[in-house]
Amino acid sequence: MESGTVLETLRSLEEEALRELGTLEDIDSLETWRVAYLGRRGKLTTILRSVGSLSPDLRRSVGAAGNQVKTLLEEEQARRSDEIEELEVRRRSSLRAIDVTLPGRPLPQGRLHPTTQILREICSSFTAMGFQIVEGPEVEWDKYNFEMLNIPRDHPARDMWNSLWIDQQDADGRLSMLMRTHTSPMQARIMEQTKPPIRLIVPGKCYRYEATDATHEWHFYQVEGLAVDEGITLANLKGTLYEFARRIFGPDRKVRFRCDYFPFVEPGVDMSVDCFACRGEGCRLCADTGWLEIMGAGMVHPKVLAGVGYDPEVYTGFAFGMGPERIAMLKYGIDDIRLFYGNDLRFLRQF
Ligand code: DAH
């Protein structure tokens, strides 16, 4: 072989290897490159190995040139390896980099359901007056929902509550369990468990076997109230509920109490506030009466007190019950109770 040809091959090999080296961007392809040129069967190694078969003169010059190329390629490989490492560090840190000058991403923000909002408002107006909050079961015994509230079986007063019964019979084969039709059963449950003084409110869900329309739902909330102690009078009832009405509907509201019938109170009343939309003059909201009915109330019936073991000669009390959805409807001018359960965001976003 001629020394010129071998030296040329070496030069073009060097050129090719360096060109390729410059394009490599990761450690794996750098290793592949090393094996292809400098490995045991690499292109350069093959040439250097063939040097032994050359004449002594050629051997010297080709050998020297070959070793020069080898050293150069090894040096360049080390340099490229450093560059690639640096490149990778930069790549990794750019993935982690945070541009603190970018405006923050808006987080979707929820809000409380209007029923929850009004419940909290009602509850805090009573807790401010020293009432405790208690909750009770939504599935209730006939005993608490009716009997202990002076509503015996087969009494026509039961017609005031269309009930959803549970398929559960007592020893006489009569249905004895239902979805509570009001929160009043908690009056009996609490009095049974504690001694006066009692001041509490009971927010909770109630159920009725009822066709729905703009003012009726088959499931809805109530807030019950009960205060029992020695010497409680109708004046305490009026004062407490008057203060409540002013807290919810504004400081210059007037209130009105009229006789009404509920089996578990005597006397029973219904309470109204003067219409805040027309200030009592008469409008669509108050059906031209100037008044808005907001709840039922009364003095706890002596039979109810006796039924839980209290002496009606010693203890007296007042009770009340309201529908928070109705309170919210009046307060915010909502004209359909079904909106509270429709999950329509166009409605819910307004609160
Ligand atoms: N529980 C009654 C109802 O659902 C509302 C009620 C009226 C509750 C008078 C009371 C009350 O505590 O004294 O219709």
Side-chain angles (χ1 to χ4, degrees):
M1 204 190 284
E2 254 187 61
S3 81
T5 331
V6 187
L7 289 175
E8 241 166 64
T9 312
L10 269 176
R11 215 173 299 125
S12 68
L13 186 72
E14 176 190 310
E15 226 172 78
E16 179 194 323
L18 290 179
R19 202 183 323 113
E20 214 175 285
L21 187 67
T23 67
L24 304 181
E25 300 229 313
D26 58 82
I27 296 297
D28 285 349
S29 51
L30 187 65
E31 176 59 12
T32 313
W33 177 90
R34 187 193 64 76
V35 172
Y37 291 98
L38 303 170
R40 271 195 299 127
R41 284 186 209 149
K43 293 179 186 173
L44 183 63
T45 320
T46 312
I47 294 176
L48 288 179
R49 223 177 261 144
S50 66
V51 167
S53 59
L54 299 174
S55 63
D57 266 5
L58 268 178
R59 207 183 295 165
R60 210 174 301 118
S61 59
V62 172
N67 280 331
Q68 241 172 19
V69 174
K70 188 172 181 228
T71 314
L72 177 74
L73 290 189
E74 278 167 355
E75 279 169 8
E76 287 300 303
Q77 184 207 344
R79 209 174 47 80
R80 189 64 193 158
S81 170
D82 287 348
E83 278 174 6
I84 287 176
E85 212 163 282
E86 211 175 289
L87 214 70
E88 232 143 55
V89 169
R90 240 183 289 146
R91 216 181 283 150
R92 255 181 272 133
S93 73
S94 83
L95 282 179
R96 254 187 282 125
I98 295 168
D99 184 349
V100 291
T101 65
L102 281 174
R105 282 190 210 126
L107 293 171
Q109 193 181 17
R111 66 191 81 194
L112 295 175
H113 192 279
T115 307
T116 310
Q117 291 185 34
I118 197 76
L119 276 169
R120 290 193 178 180
E121 219 178 307
I122 293 169
C123 288
S124 62
S125 73
F126 282 107
T127 52
M129 292 189 270
F131 283 70
Q132 282 178 285
I133 301 174
V134 182
E135 288 180 294
E138 292 176 20
V139 182
E140 189 53 281
W141 296 107
D142 182 284
K143 175 182 156 190
Y144 291 107
N145 197 85
F146 292 128
E147 279 164 47
M148 293 185 77
L149 296 173
N150 192 30
I151 314 165
R153 284 184 193 276
D154 307 318
H155 193 283
R158 286 212 175 186
D159 295 349
M160 291 171 75
W161 296 278
N162 300 318
S163 311
L164 287 159
W165 293 92
I166 305 291
D167 191 6
Q168 155 90 33
Q169 294 173 359
D170 62 13
D172 304 330
R174 305 171 73 154
L175 294 173
S176 56
M177 201 187 247
L178 71 162
M179 301 303 291
R180 68 175 172 197
T181 58
H182 48 183
T183 42
S184 306
M186 278 306 284
Q187 290 187 30
R189 279 183 178 273
I190 291 293
M191 286 193 283
E192 222 180 29
Q193 285 169 24
T194 52
K195 287 204 168 74
I198 291 172
R199 267 180 202 78
L200 55 89
I201 50 166
V202 187
K205 203 78 182 286
C206 303
Y207 303 84
R208 299 214 185 143
Y209 183 60
E210 202 132 34
T212 59
D213 63 27
T215 52
H216 294 87
E217 255 292 0
W218 67 272
H219 60 140
F220 53 90
Y221 276 89
Q222 278 196 349
V223 177
E224 191 80 11
L226 178 70
V228 183
D229 204 349
E230 289 181 45
I232 288 198
T233 69
L234 190 68
N236 299 124
L237 179 158
K238 289 177 75 172
T240 307
L241 297 184
Y242 181 35
E243 178 58 22
F244 161 75
R246 287 155 43 97
R247 282 178 192 252
I248 296 289
F249 292 107
D252 25 70
R253 289 279 68 74
K254 284 185 279 213
V255 294
R256 179 187 73 177
F257 294 90
R258 293 189 303 179
C259 289
D260 203 348
Y261 170 67
F262 300 98
F264 35 90
V265 284
E266 178 57 34
V269 296
D270 87 52
M271 177 185 171
S272 305
V273 292
D274 64 327
C275 180
F276 48 83
C278 62
R279 300 190 163 271
E281 276 171 25
C283 67
R284 217 166 68 95
L285 183 67
C286 60
D288 279 330
T289 63
W291 295 97
L292 302 165
E293 287 177 21
I294 59 168
M295 71 173 102
M299 299 303 291
V300 181
H301 200 292
K303 279 194 183 172
V304 174
L305 293 171
V308 295
Y310 291 0
D311 182 351
E313 296 297 329
V314 177
Y315 296 112
T316 49
F318 66 83
F320 56 87
M322 70 185 94
E325 286 102 342
R326 173 160 169 82
I327 306 277
M329 286 168 80
L330 294 172
K331 185 165 176 171
Y332 302 118
I334 300 163
D335 58 8
D336 197 322
I337 193 172
R338 290 168 294 192
L339 287 165
F340 289 97
Y341 298 95
N343 290 332
D344 188 333
L345 287 177
R346 291 168 303 177
F347 170 71
L348 298 173
R349 283 207 179 101
Q350 295 176 49
F351 298 93

